[in-house]
Amino acid sequence: MSGVLALLPALPLAGAVVLLLLPAARRDAAALGLGRGVAAAVLVLAVLARDAPDVDVPWVPALGLRLHLGVDGVSWPLLLLTGALVLLCLQHLVRGLPAPGRPGALVGLLLLLEAGVLATFLAQDLLLFFVAFETVLIPMYFVIAVWGGDGRGSARPAAQVFVLYTLLGSVVMLAGFLLVRARTGTSDLQALAERGGAGMSTTVQVVAFLLVGLGLAVKAPMWPLHTWLPAAHTAAPTVGSVLLAGVLLKLGTYGLVRTALPVLPEGARVLAPYLAALAVVGILWGALACLAQRDLKRLVAYSSVSHMGFVLLGIATLTEAGVNGALFANVAHGLITGLLFLLAGAVKERHGTTDMDELGGGLYARAPRLGGVLALAAVASLGLPGLAGFWGEMLAMLGAYRPAEGLDRGLYLVLMALAGLGTVLAAAYLLRMVRRVAQGRGAAARAERPVLDAGPAEVALWAPLVAATLLLGLWPALLLDVTAEPVRALLGGG
């Protein structure tokens, strides 16, 4: 077990390197088989990683930097989520590759992306976290730019905006990390969490939290730093959208919980009300934007802005209930929105479009299995009790009902009420989407064009996400029991 944590990012990185070194013809022929084998092994390692000991070896001795990897109940569910979604994405590619094909390059980039994400979730050093965080940027850029849109470069502007936003955010975040290291003499997250801000004045903590928080907020995505997201999602191929929503957005919110709350507690306390207010603006703005959308993928993209607002609100309460709710909502959003993007891809494969006006409804009549799963994913996304989307948002609002000591409860009660309005708007835009896409006879039916329903392979692809959504909705303690103790420790309660 001692090498599990090192193998987790190393295995997909090795798979990407092997694909790179193979001759082009052999690379493309072997890509999907090798990629799925590596992804399956990574998922098994992620399951075994829960009790694995830390890896802590010298990295850059001259600068006093160490390669420190560790896992706890905060990061372990995200390791599982990452492993599962990457494997499902690679399985999805078996059905057909987006233009311009080139499976070797696409699979290699997805494995490189997986390595960077896993290293980010495992990093126990601020500068190692930054390096891993940045590693994800390049593969996602090429996935969007090369395989997005129509496969002829039409998605490149969206990919460039994604890179620009992320790079600027990363520069600001690095400045915050360097300020912490300069004031404390260490970048080790465990040591910094034990100090609880000791060695840094309140002013320094506020400045550092502002810098780190802004950098992470771009990925979260927090309003008004979210504007790169809808275009990137709309342009990306299905696998890119799934991983962008299901995994990459979690890097920002995870980073706040892992690096900002325990290391800069006074800064967090000062700036938490502002974070909470921006989170609620994002909840409402994202929901209102969804009501104006015609494109199915774009609607799901804007819904991420709204749903991730609940994650940010939970973090901003600085309470165990709120932060646990944020972590639960993180995982639930990854499952549900990943499923929604897979379903949107299936709709586009059949109709050639995700424009809801052109689709005209009719999925229940023409493709009942696809329509039924889409409806299930929609009601899970709106937070129906008994499904995974409910618990995280409910706990985030519960944290806002009674925020941490020293925070203005009156303000948080107003924010809680406004967030509740966001759940009503979510029901409106998601049920409206189901009506426009699934109900009625449909444009395809009126034109008497056949629409194939989901076959066994597609149902098997969606089944793990559906099962996890149901399981966490009916038995939330499966996840909450994992996160409760480490959250208490990160907030200074244990």
Side-chain angles (χ1 to χ4, degrees):
M1 294 288 287
S2 60
V4 168
L5 298 190
L7 278 174
L8 265 172
L11 189 57
L13 179 60
V17 171
V18 168
L19 285 175
L20 179 65
L21 295 177
L22 285 174
R26 291 186 60 194
R27 179 192 310 144
D28 288 343
L32 288 175
L34 176 63
R36 285 182 292 162
V38 169
V42 168
L43 181 56
V44 171
L45 288 174
V47 173
L48 299 175
R50 181 176 182 181
D51 299 317
D54 284 10
V55 173
D56 188 6
V57 296
W59 181 28
V60 186
L63 299 178
L65 300 181
R66 302 188 67 81
L67 191 67
H68 188 180
L69 305 176
V71 64
D72 61 9
V74 172
S75 55
W76 185 61
L78 294 173
L79 297 177
L80 295 179
L81 178 66
T82 301
L85 287 179
V86 171
L87 179 58
L88 291 175
C89 283
L90 291 170
Q91 185 62 37
H92 171 80
L93 293 178
V94 175
R95 290 179 45 79
L97 290 162
R102 298 169 58 189
L106 179 55
V107 172
L109 288 170
L110 294 181
L111 291 177
L112 179 59
L113 185 148
E114 182 178 32
V117 170
L118 293 172
T120 305
F121 291 144
L122 291 170
Q124 295 295 314
D125 182 275
L126 288 174
L127 297 183
L128 178 61
F129 178 93
F130 171 78
V131 171
F133 190 89
E134 289 302 285
T135 301
V136 175
L137 177 62
I138 300 304
M140 182 52 74
Y141 167 80
F142 283 109
V143 169
I144 297 173
V146 177
W147 288 272
D150 59 8
R152 295 191 295 271
S154 62
R156 193 166 297 155
Q160 290 169 345
V161 171
F162 163 71
V163 168
L164 179 62
Y165 268 79
T166 305
L167 278 177
L168 290 175
S170 297
V171 169
V172 175
M173 179 179 70
L174 178 60
F177 287 168
L178 293 176
L179 176 58
V180 171
R181 180 175 170 82
R183 293 288 178 162
T184 62
T186 183
S187 56
D188 186 273
L189 278 167
Q190 293 180 5
L192 289 167
E194 290 172 3
R195 295 185 185 187
M200 292 180 284
S201 67
T202 299
T203 301
V204 169
Q205 289 193 45
V206 169
V207 172
F209 189 95
L210 183 63
L211 293 170
V212 173
L214 283 173
L216 293 169
V218 173
K219 275 272 179 68
M222 183 183 76
W223 183 93
L225 302 175
H226 68 285
T227 52
W228 60 270
L229 181 69
H233 266 311
T234 304
T238 297
V239 293
S241 292
V242 171
L243 295 178
L244 187 57
V247 175
L248 265 66
L249 301 190
K250 312 305 177 279
L251 298 178
T253 48
Y254 170 80
L256 283 171
V257 175
R258 175 63 69 195
T259 70
L261 295 191
V263 175
L264 305 162
E266 291 303 316
R269 191 169 297 277
V270 171
L271 294 175
Y274 302 96
L275 175 60
L278 291 173
V280 171
V281 172
I283 291 170
L284 296 175
W285 191 92
L288 290 172
C290 285
L291 289 170
Q293 299 308 309
R294 290 179 50 185
D295 186 88
L296 178 58
K297 282 190 72 175
R298 202 167 179 86
L299 183 149
V300 178
Y302 274 109
S303 76
S304 289
V305 177
S306 186
H307 289 307
M308 294 304 288
F310 282 98
V311 178
L312 292 168
L313 175 62
I315 293 171
T317 67
L318 305 183
T319 62
E320 292 181 26
V323 176
N324 276 298
L327 296 174
F328 196 105
N330 250 349
V331 174
H333 177 267
L335 295 171
I336 296 167
T337 307
L339 177 59
L340 280 169
F341 276 118
L342 285 172
L343 296 168
V347 169
K348 187 169 184 178
E349 287 175 11
R350 287 158 172 79
H351 295 279
T353 182
T354 50
D355 186 302
M356 290 184 285
D357 289 341
E358 292 185 26
L359 292 171
L363 270 187
Y364 286 157
R366 307 290 287 171
R369 286 190 290 272
L370 175 56
V373 178
L374 179 65
L376 175 64
V379 296
S381 185
L382 66 83
L384 186 73
L387 297 171
F390 170 74
W391 294 102
E393 296 181 3
M394 184 272 290
L395 287 170
M397 289 191 287
L398 180 62
Y401 178 75
R402 195 174 298 277
E405 186 177 350
L407 298 179
D408 185 347
R409 191 182 181 211
L411 170 65
Y412 275 82
L413 288 175
V414 172
L415 296 176
M416 180 193 72
L418 292 173
L421 176 59
T423 64
V424 176
L425 293 172
Y429 68 72
L430 285 163
L431 294 177
R432 181 169 173 259
M433 178 270 286
V434 171
R435 178 181 61 81
R436 295 174 70 185
V437 176
Q439 295 179 344
R441 294 185 64 239
R446 288 192 294 272
E448 296 187 354
R449 293 197 304 267
V451 177
L452 294 176
D453 199 0
E458 279 184 299
V459 172
L461 181 68
W462 305 332
L465 299 178
V466 172
T469 299
L470 290 169
L471 186 61
L472 289 180
L474 295 172
W475 196 2
L478 277 176
L479 181 54
L480 293 173
D481 286 349
V482 173
T483 62
E485 190 59 35
V487 165
R488 187 176 300 116
L490 287 174
L491 293 176

